[in-house]
Amino acid sequence: MRIAGMILAGGAGRRLGGTDKALLPLAGRPLLAHVVACLAPQVAALALSANGDAARFAEYGLPVLADASDRVGEGPLAGILAGLDWAAGLGAERLLVSAVDTPFLPADLAARLGAAPGAAYAACAGRDHPSIALWPVAGRARLAALFATGERRLRAALAGAERVEFDGPEHFFNINTPDDLAAAEAFLAGRAS
């Protein structure tokens, strides 16, 4: 089964002062570099979902997928729709998606989510992580129809998807605030010592 991957990097980063989260430094490297290192070995091809000037990501050599012009600013589902179209063009059967602010993803994410027969999303320690999910490319028409109704919630789009429980809550730690960034730095420093 061919799995493509996509990193969602379209958020405004308001709680971090409006910074581009993808380029936010963590342990001397941008968050995007951490997520690429986690996901690239797990997928056949990797892209980035982001609007604005794609040149800011040129050093990564990834396709940068912008939302369709009528979907810009409509949230992560707009990016997932663009990703499903891209994955279909590659002949991929599924699209593994993660937010750019989750730098510690597990090395077996694609394999564990891929064991589900259809859509699947990560969960850990009783908490769901719908922004970390595996989407069947064949389901893109259903998702587009849902989006057309005005639905923008990932949880609603994942209705009926398999919930896959993981150990290690650090894998799904996400960085939304300066305190989160400091905690992530401390976690990496502790792991290195």
Side-chain angles (χ1 to χ4, degrees):
M1 173 181 311
R2 186 177 158 114
I3 298 175
M6 186 179 69
I7 301 167
L8 295 168
R14 285 186 277 282
R15 290 179 281 177
L16 285 161
T19 188
D20 191 336
K21 274 190 187 182
L23 302 176
L24 188 68
L26 172 64
R29 297 185 314 155
L31 278 179
L32 179 58
H34 291 272
V35 180
V36 167
C38 290
L39 290 185
Q42 300 187 53
V43 296
L46 187 61
L48 181 64
S49 169
N51 296 307
D53 184 8
R56 69 192 193 272
F57 304 116
E59 71 181 270
Y60 296 95
L62 299 174
V64 178
L65 310 176
D67 298 344
S69 61
D70 62 336
R71 295 179 180 156
V72 172
E74 293 288 332
L77 280 182
I80 292 167
L81 284 167
L84 289 169
D85 289 341
W86 168 76
L90 296 176
E93 295 175 30
R94 295 169 118 185
L95 178 69
L96 178 64
V97 174
S98 174
V100 76
D101 61 5
T102 53
F104 310 129
L105 295 167
D108 63 349
L109 182 65
R112 298 270 315 278
L113 293 178
Y121 61 93
C124 185
R127 185 169 175 212
D128 293 344
H129 299 282
S131 66
I132 302 169
L134 190 65
W135 299 83
V137 172
R140 72 188 204 267
R142 182 196 69 81
L143 188 60
L146 183 66
F147 191 90
T149 69
E151 182 59 71
R152 301 295 181 265
R153 294 173 301 138
L154 287 174
R155 288 183 191 279
L158 286 165
E162 187 166 326
R163 181 179 192 268
V164 179
E165 188 73 31
F166 287 81
D167 292 327
E170 73 277 0
H171 292 304
F172 303 102
F173 181 82
N174 68 332
I175 298 172
N176 288 312
T177 67
D179 287 345
D180 294 340
L181 182 60
E185 290 280 2
F187 173 75
L188 284 177
R191 216 163 63 172
S193 57

